[in-house]
């Protein structure tokens, strides 16, 4: 069986296309996030709160990835930013080719921040470079504190961890200190923010950090 | 590119092995569940509550699937039932071969119910038949009510939907009626139970239903 070889070839091809995407982003001075998480951790809600904060301060565009439906693109479109929906039709992750195709529908000129919301999946998207500058992993308090140890690749490859739904802590079985320590054991360089899209706790700190990254790339 | 053909071959090979597993389960009179969900929806907690209810009424064994760690097997082992942990080392789903291998470590003689807890992933495990009798999909109220429409394959292939963390409804943005309707639009034959592993709401109804299935297979 040559499955492993084929998989390696797929990943090599993906890395080539990701490098092309990265070059394009560099050319336009566009800082690119790849947001990953389990289904329902709050990626789209984080994006909505982030757009509220930053859309008058930065030029933002969005690529939405979903297995089915364009619900998330509809939610984002309300913020009056360019948005393209990729429907993977059962595919479990975005890849660099899908992003390349989506980019034909976005004029990157003047776009300072491009947010790519990946398919809700804490396993497969870890292996696929899209050409982004950083991966942001969202972990919801409702998922418990053991997820970094159980799904390490995603936490290892991310630069930022958003611990979301922090407002639900009184009602769920999740020790925040334990969750952070588990994540930092996997990846000591993680930037960790605690957020709630309901109370908006922590959104300002996250957005200030993000804006600084975008502007330091541009300067 | 022959990726699709290779993928079809992988699935065909998997279906052959799943048929062998199914024949083995039939031979021993073992009813088999494949529990699937996003990471952190409460599969292991559901299993713990189910074992509390049923372990004195049925002979149960468990196969745990995880990307990394044997935390879940340790939780289940406390109930003094045979349990085998499969660590996929990055693999995003269980397949029939992994289950076949795990079965070499379980004596199925006398086992009436085998529960296979899949890797936390709402996409990939949908395509891999393990030889189980039914798939049970767990959806947590914290994930919102749109997940059946966004990840339809899993809900289409399942026989049971457990809407878990029902106790968190006052604190989260999830309309239970909408969630049920969305699931039933994808799969009108779904048996739906509302559960909480914290308050134990609905666990009795789910376990009574499950026990009936097991016993009707044996009679």
């Amino acid at each position: 069986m040559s499955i492993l070889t084929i998989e390696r070839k797929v990943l090599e091809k993906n890395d080539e296309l990701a490098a092309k995407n990265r070059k394009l982003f560099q050319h336009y001075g566009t800082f690119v996030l790849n947001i990953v998480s389990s289904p329902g951790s709050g990626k789209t809600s984080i994006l909505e709160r982030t757009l509220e904060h930053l859309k008058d301060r930065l030029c933002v565009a969005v690529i939405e990835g979903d297995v089915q439906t364009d619900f998330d693109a509809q939610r984002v479109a309300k913020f009056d930013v360019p948005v393209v929906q990729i429907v993977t039709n059962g595919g479990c992750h975005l890849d660099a080719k899908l992003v390349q195709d989506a980019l034909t529908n976005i004029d990157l000129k003047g776009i300072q921040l491009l947010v790519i919301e990946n398919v809700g999946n804490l396993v497969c998207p870890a292996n696929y470079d899209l050409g982004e500058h950083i991966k942001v992993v969202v972990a919801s308090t409702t998922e418990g504190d053991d997820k970094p140890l159980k799904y390490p690749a995603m936490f290892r490859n991310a630069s930022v961890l958003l611990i979301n739904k922090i407002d639900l802590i009184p009602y769920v079985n999740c020790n925040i200190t334990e969750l952070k320590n588990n994540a930092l054991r996997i990846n000591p360089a993680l930037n960790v923010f605690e957020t709630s899209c309901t109370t908006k706790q922590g959104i300002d700190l996250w957005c200030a950090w993000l804006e600084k990254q975008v502007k330091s790339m541009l300067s």
Side-chain angles (χ1 to χ4, degrees), chain A:
Chain A
M1 287 278 269
S2 57
I3 300 300
L4 276 176
T5 318
I6 296 260
E7 194 178 306
R8 191 151 48 233
K9 276 194 187 154
V10 169
L11 287 175
E12 276 169 14
K13 180 75 187 156
N14 184 72
D15 285 349
E16 277 170 35
L17 293 174
K20 280 192 188 169
N21 290 347
R22 194 170 278 114
K23 218 168 164 180
L24 194 74
F25 300 145
Q26 210 64 37
H27 173 75
Y28 284 105
T30 307
F31 186 82
V32 183
L33 297 187
N34 176 5
I35 307 194
V36 293
S37 82
S38 308
S41 300
K43 290 185 294 307
T44 315
S45 299
I46 290 276
L47 180 49
E48 288 173 319
R49 295 295 85 76
T50 302
L51 288 172
E52 264 170 24
H53 256 251
L54 291 182
K55 87 182 185 74
D56 295 333
R57 306 174 62 85
L58 294 173
C59 276
V60 188
V62 174
I63 295 176
E64 281 292 342
D66 278 290
V67 173
Q68 285 297 340
T69 79
D70 63 354
F71 296 163
D72 291 351
Q74 287 177 37
R75 285 169 62 181
V76 167
K78 289 180 186 152
F79 292 87
D80 212 18
V81 297
V83 53
V84 176
Q85 175 81 51
I86 300 173
V87 174
T88 66
N89 272 315
C92 54
H93 59 270
L94 295 184
D95 61 28
K97 177 71 172 74
L98 288 169
V99 170
Q100 191 182 53
D101 293 348
L103 288 170
T104 61
N105 295 298
I106 298 179
D107 183 4
L108 283 183
K109 204 178 159 189
I111 299 291
Q112 297 165 289
L113 173 64
L114 172 67
V115 182
I116 306 174
E117 184 183 335
N118 218 310
V119 170
N121 182 335
L122 208 51
V123 188
C124 313
N127 297 322
Y128 288 82
D129 183 6
L130 308 179
E132 74 271 9
H133 295 93
I134 59 170
K135 275 196 179 68
V136 176
V137 60
V138 182
S140 162
T141 57
T142 61
E143 295 161 16
D145 44 42
D146 58 356
K147 294 305 166 286
L149 304 180
K150 292 176 79 177
Y151 302 86
M154 200 62 101
F155 291 82
R156 196 173 294 123
N157 296 345
S159 305
V160 177
L161 164 61
L162 301 182
I163 302 180
N164 196 32
K165 308 196 189 182
I166 198 83
D167 55 301
L168 296 181
I169 275 293
Y171 314 112
V172 297
N173 188 10
C174 176
N175 181 324
I176 286 287
T177 310
E178 193 69 22
L179 173 51
K180 270 191 226 173
N181 288 345
N182 286 339
L184 293 171
R185 267 160 72 185
I186 300 293
N187 180 357
L190 269 176
N191 294 280
V192 183
F193 298 91
E194 298 177 14
T195 55
S196 163
C197 295
T198 307
T199 67
K200 303 194 183 175
Q201 183 188 330
I203 297 293
D204 50 349
L205 287 177
W206 149 244
C207 287
W209 182 90
L210 176 57
E211 189 177 356
K212 204 172 142 195
Q213 306 303 308
V214 174
K215 298 210 162 149
S216 70
M217 194 188 83
L218 295 174
S219 65

